Structure formats: structure tokens, C-alpha cells
């Protein structure tokens, strides 16, 4: 079906040779044509073609919806030229160019969605089997077998390799060397690096202290920033490289500069976070737990993007060992459910079948602990959905904080499968958990649906 759409657009444009530039911007792909007289206007203008033809600054342009950037990437692969400008997301508002960080991050994650959703479905199936097995009195040898371990590894492999996948996707988006990006993305997965970071010893690189949180350096935001810098450096070094060193000097310098620079910049940042974030959280936990849970419910998505959520786990473990329960982990559950609600609303609001399908699947995976598709590919693509998810998480977190909702076991996934961990004899903890989850889901979904409607109305005025 998509190939037919591409053929129709190419025919309407007068063939691939008649396309001067191709650009993807805010869910739309724009083709700039060399000669408008070569356009084939006999192509039927069916609703699914959804193409606008306009004249801008003397140039003839074709603009059409392309939420997944599938057609855009296909045309690039066919050799169609791209404008000589920064590939980062730019939009023109009242004559000013602005950069949308959320939209660019979403663009990076969109090509990864098939593998992430597929892996998420496998993880959900395995989680469902584990959940059913925990409720039955049958032998649990299945979930402890080597076969189960291999199936679990298959489901987790895509998320384990996520830094590499994000690096490759960012490099593809910026038209830089994919293999150099993959090498940078895999730095923290290298065995010697993981051994050093897990040793518990103080780590220093060129005299700069590095925090012993390897996943922090591989967080999505830092990886995208690092590959963006690598792309900038590669293109400029390649431009001035002598002929004998073309294709060699740029990758070498990129690896020698960007990878160390990433450690040297993020090392002090991680050290500062390690010294201050835990203290702030523990202070709020003791003095204002309701405020803490509300803030975590709202900001958990941002913490995950920056890799800061790993600093919560020592606090969770200390809570369990000291009190026998934790009130911090429920904030993760309510934040994930809020992402699911906002993604569902985005799907209901969208007129794009492909985006709607992705949004519905992403909403389901977020409910069961895999929030990347909902957060990165759906909600970040629409600011209204992302902000609604944060507000919904805050509302659910406020309810959890006021009712002192707690979990007795560290499940760690923020999944609906963790609900049994909230059962506490003689209390209504389980009931309040279910109510808080429903509040977060409904609040985020309603806000996303309403805010998306307001945005659409403003654009139509």
C-alpha cells in the first residue's frame, strides 16, 4: 500500500528527477520541484493521497502527511536530494525558526518502534505467564528453566541494545556515519567498561571523576546529543580532509573526540547528581512525602530520558529494608499509566491510520511496563500529549501520596502485573492503588484529548 502511495506521489511530481529537495517537518514531507510543467496532474487526487500543491518564494512544492517519515526516508534512499541545511527539526512560526527537542527525539525513536513494540509484546506475554504462574499452586520450574531465561533474554535484548539503536537512528536522521554512531552507542556495553563501572571503586578518566552509573551515560537524551555532535564534527572534518584520508580521518577523529568528551562532560554532571539528587529525594521523603510522590509522578518521564531514574533504586531498597515497603516505586506505576492514557487519547484524536495504530499498541505496552513506545514515539510527537501525561502522573501521584499507597515488593517495571505487590492485609492499599491508577489514566487521557482539540482549533483559525 505504501509503495503505491510513493509511486503516485512520484508520478504527480513528474518523476524522481524532477524533485529538487525533500524535507520532513512536523509530520509532513515537502517536495520542491525543478519544473512544475513536468507534473502529471492526471494522477487521481484521492483522499488518501492528501497532497497540497503550493508556490513558495517562486518554488513549486508538494506537501503531504507522512507521520512516520516512511515516505521521506524511502525517497532519501532512492537518492532524492535533501536541502543543504541542518537536519534537526525546525519549524517556522511567525517568521522565526524554532527547534523542537521533543519532536526530534520522537523522530529518532519512530523507526525503532517495530522492534520495541515487538519486544514489548513478548515481554508482556512472558509477564502474563509469570503472573498466572504466581497465582497457581503448580510447579514453577518453567519460569526458572534455561528455556525461559533465553526467551526472557530475547525480549530484553532490544532494550539492552537501545543505546546502540538510538545512536544508529540519530545518525541516520542526521545523515552521518551509522557505524561510528553504533560504536559510540555501544561504549557502555563493552565488557571492560561494565566491569569497571560495576566494581564499586572510584572511577576517573583523565583526572575527571565518573559516577558509577553506566546506564546514565547511555540515556537516550545524552546519546542523541553525542551523536548530533559526532555528526557535526564528521561533516566538517570530512570537508577539509585530503583525498588520501577521505573516509578515514573523520571517523578516527570522531571516536577520539566525541566518546571521551561525552565522558568528560557527563562525568561531573553525574557526580553532582549523585551528591545532591539522593539527598533532595530523601529530604522530601521524610518531610513532604506527598509532594515527592506528586513530583515523581509528573517528572518520571523526564528522569528516564536523562537517565536519572537509576538514582531512585538505592532509595527504594533502603525503604524496603527499613520499613518493609516503599512509597516511591508507586510513582513509577502512576507515571507509566499516565503515559498510556495520553497515548490512547492521541490515537483517538489522530486522523492518521498508521499513527493511530501505533498509539493504541503503545498505550497497551505502557500499561504493562514498557513505556518507550508511548513516551518517545507518540506523546513526544505532540506536546499536548506529553504535557498531559505529566499532569496526569502528578494527579495520580497526588492521590497516591495523600492515601500513602505503598508496595511491599520491588517489581521494578511499573506494570499492571505488579498490582498484587500492593496487597496489604487489613488495609485498603490495594483498592487505593487501583483508584489512583484509574485517576492517572483518565486524567492524562482527558487532558490530552482536550488539549489536542484546542491546538487543532487554533491552527484552523
Amino acid at each position: 500500500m505504501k509503495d503505491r502511495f510513493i509511486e503516485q506521489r512520484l508520478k504527480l511530481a513528474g518523476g524522481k528527477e524532477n524533485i529538487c529537495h525533500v524535507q520532513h517537518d512536523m509530520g509532513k514531507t515537502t517536495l520542491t520541484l525543478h519544473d512544475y510543467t513536468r507534473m502529471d496532474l492526471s494522477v487521481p487526487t484521492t483522499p488518501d493521497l492528501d497532497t497540497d500543491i503550493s508556490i513558495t518564494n517562486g518554488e513549486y512544492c508538494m506537501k503531504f502527511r507522512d507521520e512516520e517519515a516512511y515516505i521521506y526516508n524511502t525517497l532519501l534512499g532512492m537518492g532524492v536530494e535533501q536541502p543543504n541545511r541542518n537536519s534537526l527539526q525546525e519549524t517556522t512560526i511567525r517568521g522565526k525558526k524554532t527547534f523542537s527537542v521533543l519532536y526530534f527525539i520522537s523522530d529518532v525513536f519512530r523507526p525503532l518502534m517495530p522492534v520495541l513494540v515487538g519486544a514489548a509484546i513478548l515481554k508482556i506475554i512472558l509477564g502474563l505467564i509469570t503472573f498466572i504462574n504466581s497465582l497457581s499452586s503448580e510447579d514453577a520450574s518453567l519460569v526458572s528453566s534455561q528455556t525461559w531465561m533465553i526467551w526472557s533474554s530475547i525480549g530484553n535484548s532490544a532494550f539492552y541494545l537501545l543505546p546502540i539503536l538510538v545512536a544508529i537512528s540519530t545518525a541516520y536522521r542526521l545523515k552521518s556515519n551509522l557505524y561510528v554512531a553504533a560504536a559510540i552507542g555501544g561504549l557502555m556495553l563493552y565488557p571492560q567498561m561494565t566491569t569497571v563501572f560495576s566494581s564499586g571503586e572510584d572511577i576517573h578518566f583523565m583526572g575527571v571523576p565518573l559516577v558509577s552509573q553506566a546506564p546514565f551515560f547511555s540515556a537516550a537524551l545524552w546519546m542523541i546529543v553525542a551523536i548530533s555532535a559526532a555528526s557535526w564534527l564528521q561533516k566538517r572534518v570530512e570537508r577539509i580532509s585530503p583525498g588520501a584520508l577521505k573516509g578515514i580521518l573523520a571517523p578516527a577523529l570522531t571516536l577520539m573526540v566525541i566518546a571521551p568528551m561525552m565522558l568528560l562532560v557527563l562525568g561531573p554532571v553525574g557526580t553532582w547528581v549523585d551528591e545532591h539528587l539522593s539527598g533532595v529525594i530523601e529530604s522530601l521523603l521524610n518531610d513532604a512525602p506527598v509532594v515527592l510522590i506528586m513530583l515523581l509522578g509528573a517528572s518520571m518521564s523526564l528522569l528516564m530520558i536523562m537517565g536519572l531514574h537509576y538514582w531512585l533504586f538505592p532509595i527504594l531498597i533502603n525503604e524496603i529494608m527499613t520499613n518493609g515497603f516503599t512509597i516511591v516505586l508507586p510513582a513509577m506505576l502512576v507515571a507509566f499509566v499516565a503515559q498510556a492514557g495520553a497515548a490512547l487519547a492521541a490515537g483517538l484524536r489522530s486522523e492518521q491510520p498508521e499513527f493511530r495504530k501505533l498509539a493504541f499498541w503503545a498505550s497497551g505496552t505502557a500499561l504493562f511496563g514498557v513505556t518507550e513506545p508511548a513516551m518517545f514515539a507518540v506523546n513526544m510527537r505532540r506536546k499536548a500529549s506529553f504535557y498531559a501525561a505529566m499532569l496526569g502522573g502528578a494527579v495520580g501521584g497526588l492521590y497516591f501520596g495523600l492515601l500513602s499507597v505503598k508496595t511491599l515488593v520491588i517489581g521494578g517495571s511499573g506494570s499492571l502485573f505488579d498490582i498484587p505487590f500492593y496487597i496489604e492485609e487489613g488495609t485498603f492499599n490495594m483498592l487505593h492503588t487501583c483508584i489512583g491508577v484509574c485517576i492517572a489514566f483518565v486524567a492524562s487521557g482527558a487532558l490530552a484529548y482536550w488539549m489536542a482539540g484546542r491546538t487543532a482549533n487554533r491552527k484552523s483559525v
Side-chain angles (χ1 to χ4, degrees):
M1 183 68 72
K2 291 181 178 178
D3 293 337
R4 181 175 65 84
F5 289 167
I6 294 175
E7 291 176 2
Q8 285 181 315
R9 289 179 172 90
L10 285 176
K11 186 177 180 182
L12 179 61
K16 183 180 73 173
E17 297 77 12
N18 195 38
I19 300 175
C20 177
H21 296 303
V22 58
Q23 178 180 343
H24 185 72
D25 185 45
M26 297 298 287
K28 291 182 180 292
T29 292
T30 302
L31 306 182
T32 304
L33 308 181
H34 288 289
D35 184 1
Y36 77 95
T37 61
R38 294 170 60 183
M39 295 177 62
D40 187 353
L41 299 179
S42 65
V43 177
T45 56
T46 55
D48 54 13
L49 194 59
D50 191 20
T51 302
D52 296 326
I53 302 175
S54 61
I55 303 177
T56 304
N57 297 327
E59 296 180 334
Y60 286 82
C61 302
M62 291 172 48
K63 182 177 292 187
F64 46 85
R65 288 184 179 176
D66 188 15
E67 289 280 359
E68 294 182 292
Y70 173 83
I71 301 172
Y72 167 75
N73 290 325
T74 301
L75 292 176
L76 289 184
M78 295 170 61
V80 177
E81 294 185 10
Q82 191 180 14
N84 184 21
R85 54 178 283 188
N86 195 332
S87 298
L88 295 181
Q89 180 63 37
E90 292 181 349
T91 57
T92 303
I93 301 176
R94 297 180 182 177
K96 297 181 180 180
K97 292 182 178 179
T98 59
F99 170 61
S100 174
V101 175
L102 294 181
Y103 200 92
F104 180 66
I105 294 175
S106 177
D107 262 0
V108 169
F109 272 85
R110 286 300 286 271
L112 307 180
M113 285 306 104
V115 66
L116 294 184
V117 172
I121 292 173
L122 176 56
K123 286 169 65 69
I124 291 172
I125 293 173
L126 296 177
L128 181 60
I129 295 174
T130 304
F131 178 75
I132 295 174
N133 188 81
S134 66
L135 298 179
S136 66
S137 58
E138 297 180 3
D139 185 22
S141 59
L142 172 63
V143 296
S144 60
S145 65
Q146 293 180 342
T147 300
W148 184 269
M149 182 272 294
I150 293 175
W151 275 115
S152 179
S153 299
I154 294 173
N156 289 322
S157 61
F159 300 96
Y160 176 75
L161 297 173
L162 191 59
I164 298 177
L165 298 178
V166 169
I168 292 174
S169 183
T170 305
Y172 180 79
R173 169 94 171 124
L174 300 176
K175 300 182 70 174
S176 62
N177 193 305
L178 304 182
Y179 308 106
V180 173
I184 296 174
L187 174 63
M188 290 300 159
L189 303 181
Y190 189 69
Q192 283 184 305
M193 293 294 289
T194 57
T195 300
V196 169
F197 276 90
S198 61
S199 64
E201 301 177 356
D202 292 338
I203 307 168
H204 290 80
F205 175 66
M206 298 177 63
V208 175
L210 305 181
V211 66
S212 59
Q213 289 278 7
F216 166 71
F217 295 92
S218 300
L221 180 61
W222 312 135
M223 193 53 58
I224 291 173
V225 171
I227 302 306
S228 298
S231 174
W232 181 88
L233 180 62
Q234 283 182 67
K235 292 175 181 178
R236 277 148 185 81
V237 173
E238 192 69 22
R239 191 179 304 162
I240 63 175
S241 297
L245 295 178
K246 288 286 186 183
I248 299 176
L249 182 61
L253 283 179
T254 300
L255 289 174
M256 293 170 60
V257 172
I258 298 300
M261 187 64 65
M262 180 176 68
L263 296 175
L264 292 175
V265 171
L266 293 180
V269 173
T271 302
W272 186 89
V273 170
D274 191 40
E275 293 175 352
H276 296 86
L277 181 62
S278 298
V280 171
I281 293 177
E282 289 178 355
S283 177
L284 288 174
L285 184 61
N286 295 326
D287 301 329
V290 177
V291 175
L292 173 64
I293 304 307
M294 183 179 67
L295 292 177
L296 288 178
S299 62
M300 186 63 68
S301 302
L302 297 176
L303 294 179
M304 291 182 62
I305 294 171
M306 296 183 289
L308 301 181
H309 60 296
Y310 294 104
W311 272 270
L312 296 177
F313 292 107
I315 298 174
L316 302 179
I317 295 174
N318 181 66
E319 271 195 292
I320 289 289
M321 295 179 62
T322 304
N323 305 321
F325 61 83
T326 172
I327 64 172
V328 173
L329 188 58
M332 183 179 293
L333 172 62
V334 80
F336 285 10
V337 170
Q339 291 288 341
L344 178 62
L348 293 174
R349 271 291 187 185
S350 177
E351 298 178 358
Q352 291 292 312
E354 290 295 327
F355 181 81
R356 188 182 303 122
K357 178 176 65 177
L358 172 62
F360 292 160
W361 277 103
S363 178
T365 61
L367 287 174
F368 294 98
V370 183
T371 187
E372 285 85 356
M375 180 169 63
F376 292 114
V378 177
N379 295 333
M380 278 191 178
R381 209 160 188 83
R382 289 166 168 78
K383 291 182 180 179
S385 297
F386 190 74
Y387 297 150
M390 294 180 65
L391 291 173
V395 173
L398 176 61
Y399 182 86
F400 272 15
L402 291 174
L403 276 300
S404 299
V405 173
K406 60 181 76 73
T407 178
L408 308 180
V409 179
I410 298 181
S413 64
S415 166
L416 292 185
F417 288 136
D418 295 343
I419 292 293
F421 301 154
Y422 292 77
I423 298 176
E424 185 181 31
E425 294 184 5
T427 69
F428 293 101
N429 190 66
M430 175 74 163
L431 175 62
H432 292 313
T433 300
C434 296
I435 294 175
V437 164
C438 292
I439 289 175
F441 186 84
V442 173
S444 62
L447 284 170
Y449 196 86
W450 175 69
M451 292 168 69
R454 285 175 56 88
T455 303
N457 291 336
R458 285 198 299 269
K459 288 182 179 180
S460 63
V461 174

mmCIF file of all heavy atoms in Angstrom, residues 152 295 299 347 354 360:
data_model
loop_
_atom_site.group_PDB
_atom_site.id
_atom_site.type_symbol
_atom_site.label_atom_id
_atom_site.label_comp_id
_atom_site.label_asym_id
_atom_site.label_seq_id
_atom_site.Cartn_x
_atom_site.Cartn_y
_atom_site.Cartn_z
ATOM 1 N N SER A 152 13.343 -14.826 27.852
ATOM 2 C CA SER A 152 13.409 -13.535 28.527
ATOM 3 C C SER A 152 14.518 -12.667 27.947
ATOM 4 O O SER A 152 14.350 -11.449 27.776
ATOM 5 C CB SER A 152 13.629 -13.746 30.028
ATOM 6 O OG SER A 152 13.710 -12.510 30.705
ATOM 7 N N LEU A 295 5.538 14.996 42.512
ATOM 8 C CA LEU A 295 6.588 15.443 41.608
ATOM 9 C C LEU A 295 7.166 14.285 40.802
ATOM 10 O O LEU A 295 7.437 14.428 39.602
ATOM 11 C CB LEU A 295 7.698 16.134 42.399
ATOM 12 C CG LEU A 295 7.341 17.482 43.042
ATOM 13 C CD1 LEU A 295 8.515 18.004 43.850
ATOM 14 C CD2 LEU A 295 6.950 18.497 41.961
ATOM 15 N N SER A 299 7.348 13.927 36.813
ATOM 16 C CA SER A 299 8.657 14.082 36.172
ATOM 17 C C SER A 299 9.360 12.767 35.864
ATOM 18 O O SER A 299 10.487 12.796 35.352
ATOM 19 C CB SER A 299 9.571 14.919 37.082
ATOM 20 O OG SER A 299 9.785 14.255 38.330
ATOM 21 N N GLY A 347 -4.074 8.705 19.970
ATOM 22 C CA GLY A 347 -4.555 7.830 18.909
ATOM 23 C C GLY A 347 -5.989 8.124 18.517
ATOM 24 O O GLY A 347 -6.348 8.112 17.338
ATOM 25 N N GLU A 354 -1.861 4.941 10.485
ATOM 26 C CA GLU A 354 -0.622 4.347 10.982
ATOM 27 C C GLU A 354 -0.295 4.863 12.376
ATOM 28 O O GLU A 354 0.090 4.089 13.256
ATOM 29 C CB GLU A 354 0.528 4.653 10.015
ATOM 30 C CG GLU A 354 0.452 3.930 8.703
ATOM 31 C CD GLU A 354 0.591 2.425 8.866
ATOM 32 O OE1 GLU A 354 1.321 1.995 9.785
ATOM 33 O OE2 GLU A 354 -0.033 1.683 8.093
ATOM 34 N N PHE A 360 -2.320 3.093 19.801
ATOM 35 C CA PHE A 360 -3.090 2.097 20.546
ATOM 36 C C PHE A 360 -2.185 0.994 21.090
ATOM 37 O O PHE A 360 -2.305 0.588 22.252
ATOM 38 C CB PHE A 360 -4.184 1.498 19.656
ATOM 39 C CG PHE A 360 -5.272 2.474 19.306
ATOM 40 C CD1 PHE A 360 -6.101 2.253 18.215
ATOM 41 C CD2 PHE A 360 -5.469 3.619 20.056
ATOM 42 C CE1 PHE A 360 -7.104 3.151 17.886
ATOM 43 C CE2 PHE A 360 -6.467 4.535 19.743
ATOM 44 C CZ PHE A 360 -7.285 4.300 18.654
#
